[in-house]
Amino acid sequence: MQFLHLADLHFGKSIHGVSLLENGAQPIWTERFLELVREVQPDAVVIAGDIYDRSAPSGEAVALLDSVITALAELGTAVLIIAGNHDSGQRLSFGGSLLAKNIHIAGVLSPKLPCVTLYDEYGPVHFWLMPYVFPALVAQKLEDDSIHDYDTAVRRLLSHQDIDFSQRNVLVAHQNVTSGGKETERGGSESMVGGVGQVDYTAFDGFEYAALGHIHAAYPVGRKTVRYAGSPLCYHFDETKQPAKGPVLVTLGEKRTEPVTEIRTIAPLHPMREIRGAYEEIREAELRNTTRGEYIRIVLTDRKATPEIRAFFQELFESRGSVLMEFVSEYSPFGAVSAAQTARSAEERAVEDLFMDFYAQRCDGAAPDSREQ
């Protein structure tokens, strides 16, 4: 059996005021994803939460999801969706009973998790759909006041299910999963991570595969078959460390054989890129560069980010259909020195020079005019 595992679509997302719906980035991605589905012809598509970027999605975001589900239903592909922490479970589940028989949405938590069973030549595969949970919710649903942390909540909830681990089982979850309390580096657009809500990967022992959502990088946790699919697009410049993104193609064999996973990359309409370095180096490199349609962040390391430099790069990138989204500087006139050294350096400088530096720091690099001097 084969299925495509994806997560954190965040339909309706905007980056620095640029709507990824209106600029075509998310609609084009869905078209390319559907092309991949037609090529691979998987038995199922599994979406592990954060379908929308906000709990009250726009009409355009809802329409985009509707178009994806409709296309998958027409292809005869089973669709399994859970709600993430960004989603409203009630809104996501609306009309679920009226959907095609191969569309399954778990938006609202119940004591018994929805289980979808698909079949291949080796027999049944049971997909357990666990929407985003937090301790108080699980404690309420299970009527167990002893549940106070995320790890306990997930373990108690799973122990409450009638899971036959002699057969093949897949869990779909949207949580902050760690290995021995160790977390990986996060992306800048993720929320409720950094020690919050940790669930150890051993909570999913017994499952052939755990399809995770919540973290925007694609990587396994603890073992190869407990893994995040990552977000389909970069939603923050921190996430450009993993520029090649795409759903995970999972191939399940018979029981007691390890599933095979492969990331099937999908090229974005607007690649995001961070450029860091000295002004002259960046300038010369970008004058030679011909890449078009990028979203770019520049970090200067050798001088202040003046309006004149910003205007130069902005015009350069616009000439090739790119957008300069961020322009900042890490430069300090004092360099990496101690506070005492900085104080001594300041004492040795003229007050007029100190004022000029202070003014520039407060005015986006602009110099004071003669009257202000």
Side-chain angles (χ1 to χ4, degrees):
M1 177 174 294
Q2 286 190 322
F3 61 90
L4 285 168
H5 165 206
L6 59 154
D8 299 280
L9 305 182
H10 288 278
F11 285 165
K13 181 78 174 178
S14 292
I15 304 175
H16 292 278
V18 177
S19 168
L20 301 185
L21 275 173
E22 295 177 3
N23 75 353
Q26 289 180 331
I28 291 296
W29 183 90
T30 62
E31 291 177 10
R32 293 173 179 175
F33 170 71
L34 290 172
E35 290 174 4
L36 176 63
V37 173
R38 296 184 186 98
E39 173 195 338
V40 175
Q41 297 184 349
D43 299 286
V45 167
V46 174
I47 310 179
D50 278 0
I51 314 305
Y52 299 119
D53 192 54
R54 59 191 65 185
S55 59
S58 66
E60 293 79 9
V62 174
L64 185 59
L65 177 64
D66 178 73
S67 67
V68 174
I69 292 179
T70 300
L72 292 172
E74 291 173 349
L75 292 171
T77 307
V79 181
L80 292 76
I81 300 175
I82 65 168
N85 59 298
H86 278 250
D87 300 310
S88 164
Q90 290 84 357
R91 287 189 172 94
L92 194 62
S93 299
F94 177 77
S97 60
L98 302 177
L99 295 175
K101 64 180 181 179
N102 60 343
I103 308 297
H104 308 273
I105 300 177
V108 180
L109 181 67
S110 60
K112 291 296 183 181
L113 298 177
C115 178
V116 179
T117 302
L118 304 177
Y119 294 86
D120 64 8
E121 64 269 31
Y122 301 113
V125 178
H126 306 292
F127 291 82
W128 298 86
L129 309 184
M130 185 176 75
Y132 178 76
V133 302
F134 52 93
L137 178 62
V138 177
Q140 177 191 21
K141 296 294 182 181
L142 300 185
E143 300 180 349
D144 184 348
D145 294 336
S146 67
I147 298 173
H148 301 292
D149 63 85
Y150 282 77
D151 189 81
T152 300
V154 168
R155 292 177 189 271
R156 295 273 177 87
L157 182 60
L158 292 177
S159 68
H160 196 72
Q161 313 307 311
D162 300 319
I163 304 175
D164 182 359
F165 284 110
S166 68
Q167 298 185 357
R168 294 174 297 167
N169 294 274
V170 173
L171 179 71
V172 187
H174 189 93
Q175 303 293 149
N176 181 20
V177 181
T178 61
S179 176
K182 295 180 180 179
E183 296 191 349
T184 188
E185 189 171 357
R186 306 303 185 196
S189 65
E190 293 156 6
S191 62
M192 295 187 68
V193 294
V196 177
Q198 290 186 356
V199 178
D200 194 78
Y201 79 99
T202 55
F204 309 133
D205 286 351
F207 290 93
E208 267 61 42
Y209 186 83
L212 304 178
H214 192 40
I215 305 303
H216 290 186
Y219 67 95
V221 184
R223 59 184 169 94
K224 293 180 180 179
T225 51
V226 177
R227 67 174 299 133
Y228 286 102
S231 57
L233 300 168
C234 290
Y235 291 136
H236 192 281
F237 283 99
D238 286 349
E239 297 171 17
T240 58
K241 296 166 187 174
Q242 188 212 342
K245 288 176 170 282
V248 181
L249 177 62
V250 183
T251 304
L252 285 180
E254 57 186 325
K255 183 70 178 179
R256 287 179 290 277
T257 62
E258 186 173 278
V260 177
T261 60
E262 175 192 2
I263 295 180
R264 300 297 299 266
T265 58
I266 297 178
L269 178 63
H270 297 289
M272 292 178 69
R273 183 163 60 101
E274 180 178 281
I275 311 169
R276 181 184 298 269
Y279 165 70
E280 290 295 343
E281 294 174 358
I282 295 175
R283 182 178 182 277
E284 293 303 317
E286 292 307 314
L287 284 172
R288 295 191 302 269
N289 191 1
T290 59
T291 308
R292 299 184 61 82
E294 295 180 298
Y295 289 159
I296 294 171
R297 178 179 193 250
I298 290 181
V299 182
L300 293 179
T301 58
D302 69 332
R303 65 185 66 191
K304 296 184 181 298
T306 67
E308 292 79 12
I309 298 177
R310 181 188 182 98
F312 166 77
F313 282 120
Q314 197 158 353
E315 183 179 353
L316 175 64
F317 293 133
E318 286 178 356
S319 70
R320 58 187 197 222
S322 297
V323 177
L324 178 60
M325 287 189 160
E326 281 192 76
F327 181 63
V328 297
S329 172
E330 292 181 344
Y331 171 73
S332 169
F334 305 116
V337 296
S338 68
Q341 289 174 313
T342 298
R344 285 196 300 271
S345 175
E347 289 175 356
E348 295 168 358
R349 301 180 67 208
V351 67
E352 291 85 358
D353 292 338
L354 295 174
F355 169 76
M356 298 276 279
D357 285 346
F358 179 79
Y359 186 96
Q361 290 173 8
R362 294 298 182 270
C363 300
D364 197 25
D369 59 27
S370 58
R371 179 185 61 81
E372 290 161 333
Q373 290 182 45

